[in-house]
């Protein structure tokens, strides 16, 4: 893959970094982000709640005994990163990060600072090429695919217009029983007007964007044992870190998440 950073074109990772209050974004990203904020004024809340789900789902998988993690659509480093959560629970956790943004690649060194007992590495790759990711020597160097892996695709799949069921199936085929899949992705089920308007801003800028229904997200987990409470908005999954839970808050966040275990 080409490693050049195109500065005349916004990128999803840098727009997200802007929403989270980061500094790793360019003028072109900030202009797009401000336009998205007009369409969906609560998207910063969505980004924050999504990130909190990453923390909880990673902790959950680590506490369930997972020692190997594959985080696809990693994003620009934002502390705590996934390996820091996983290695807090299990210091020997091995973590492979994957992203298709050259800027994330440029920051990869910062991601590879795992504890002495663990290991982290980075693949500049695309989720639409599961076989390429699974056979990459960086992955096979620290992940043993005959043992369970926790695969995270958090705030990634709404940037992928390809057939997600097929992508998920390819990963699941390669994973050992006892592996987990954690997903969080944007839906227009709760606030169709604002979310579709935001999707349009991405698409006009030639960034792939695709909202999904609850049934679509559930269909990706049919081969898995769904962890309670199933497919829900991320602030309703696991330990509740927000006090405000109402249909209005579901609309603010406008995401579905789920965690499933391969039997
Ligand atoms: C919104 S960020 C999410 C970051 C992190 N997972 C989180 O939840 O905080 C989405 C990330 O997915 C990456 N991405 C988008 N499309 C991708 C693809 N087809 N393959 C791999 N990564 C992709 C972007 O570069 C970006 O870093």
């Amino acid at each position: 893959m080409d490693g050049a950073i195109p500065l005349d074109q916004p990128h999803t990772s840098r727009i997200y970094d802007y929403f989270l209050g980061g500094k790793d974004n360019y003028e072109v990203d900030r202009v797009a982000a401000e336009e998205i904020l007009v369409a969906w004024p609560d998207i910063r809340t969505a980004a924050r709640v999504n990130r909190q789900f990453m923390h909880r789902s990673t902790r959950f998988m680590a506490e369930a005994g997972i020692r190997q993690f594959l985080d696809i659509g990693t994003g620009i480093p934002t502390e705590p990163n996934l390996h820091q959560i996983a290695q807090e629970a299990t210091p020997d956790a091995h973590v492979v990060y994957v992203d298709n943004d050259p800027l994330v690649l440029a920051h990869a060194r910062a991601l590879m600072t795992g504890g002495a007992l663990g290991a982290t590495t980075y693949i500049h790759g695309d989720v639409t090429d599961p076989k390429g990711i699974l056979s990459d020597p960086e992955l096979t160097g620290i992940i043993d695919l005959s043992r369970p892996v926790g695969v995270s695709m958090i705030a990634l799949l709404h940037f992928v217009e390809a057939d997600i069921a097929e992508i998920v199936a390819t990963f699941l085929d390669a994973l050992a029983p006892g592996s987990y899949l954690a997903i969080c992705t944007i839906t227009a089920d709760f606030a169709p007007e604002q979310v579709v308007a935001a999707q349009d801003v991405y698409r006009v800028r030639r960034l792939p964007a695709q909202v999904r229904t609850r049934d679509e997200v559930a269909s990706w987990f049919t081969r898995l044992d769904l962890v309670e409470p199933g497919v829900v908005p991320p602030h309703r999954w696991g330990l509740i870190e927000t006090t405000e839970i109402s249909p209005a808050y579901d609309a603010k966040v406008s995401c579905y998440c789920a965690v499933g275990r391969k039997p």
Side-chain angles (χ1 to χ4, degrees):
M1 290 177 69
D2 180 12
I5 299 173
L7 300 182
D8 57 344
Q9 165 76 11
H11 197 285
T12 50
S13 65
R14 303 183 314 239
I15 293 172
Y16 184 71
D17 176 73
Y18 180 76
F19 291 149
L20 287 174
K23 297 199 167 24
D24 294 301
N25 47 73
Y26 303 116
E27 180 64 15
V28 69
D29 307 305
R30 294 189 282 275
V31 169
E34 286 297 336
E35 220 176 287
I36 294 162
L37 277 165
V38 170
W40 181 357
D42 293 311
I43 198 165
R44 279 202 165 99
T45 304
R48 194 168 37 78
V49 170
N50 166 85
R51 192 80 198 163
Q52 289 167 352
F53 169 72
M54 185 279 276
H55 299 173
R56 291 199 300 282
S57 56
T58 302
R59 213 171 287 131
F60 171 86
M61 292 189 279
E63 286 170 1
I66 295 295
R67 296 287 178 277
Q68 314 186 96
F69 293 84
L70 174 57
D71 178 36
I72 311 177
T74 298
I76 290 163
T78 304
E79 301 240 337
N81 295 292
L82 190 144
H83 73 275
Q84 291 162 321
I85 309 258
Q87 291 174 354
E88 197 179 271
T90 56
D92 58 343
H94 287 197
V95 179
V96 174
Y97 288 114
V98 181
D99 204 288
N100 72 352
D101 180 9
L103 190 66
V104 179
L105 172 67
H107 282 281
R109 212 176 277 268
L111 283 171
M112 292 185 214
T113 54
L117 295 175
T120 58
T121 192
Y122 182 85
I123 298 172
H124 182 57
D126 202 295
V127 72
T128 57
D129 178 23
K131 289 188 174 155
I133 292 172
L134 289 162
S135 62
D136 193 294
E138 290 291 337
L139 183 146
T140 53
I142 67 164
I143 283 191
D144 173 1
L145 286 172
S146 69
R147 293 173 46 228
V149 180
V151 179
S152 279
M153 300 182 188
I154 314 278
L156 163 70
L157 298 174
H158 44 251
F159 299 125
V160 182
E161 293 173 352
D163 182 354
I164 304 300
E166 198 179 312
I167 293 170
V168 165
T170 309
F171 278 109
L172 292 182
D173 286 346
L175 297 179
S179 293
Y180 282 88
L181 175 67
I183 280 176
C184 194
T185 197
I186 291 176
T187 184
D189 284 5
F190 302 110
E193 268 183 37
Q194 67 175 17
V195 175
V196 170
Q199 175 180 262
D200 289 345
V201 178
Y202 280 99
R203 286 183 171 172
V204 161
R205 290 185 151 73
R206 290 180 284 126
L207 296 171
Q210 182 62 57
V211 299
R212 305 256 167 33
T213 63
R214 186 180 181 285
D215 284 351
E216 282 175 290
V217 176
S219 75
W220 306 334
F221 286 84
T222 48
R223 288 171 60 183
L224 303 177
D225 296 332
L226 259 186
V227 174
E228 288 296 327
V231 181
V232 292
H235 48 281
R236 294 179 182 272
W237 196 97
L239 180 74
I240 308 299
E241 289 181 15
T242 173
T243 49
E244 188 189 353
I245 298 190
S246 61
Y249 200 72
D250 291 340
K252 272 189 186 190
V253 174
S254 283
C255 290
Y256 282 122
C257 73
V259 178
R261 180 180 182 277
K262 181 173 174 176

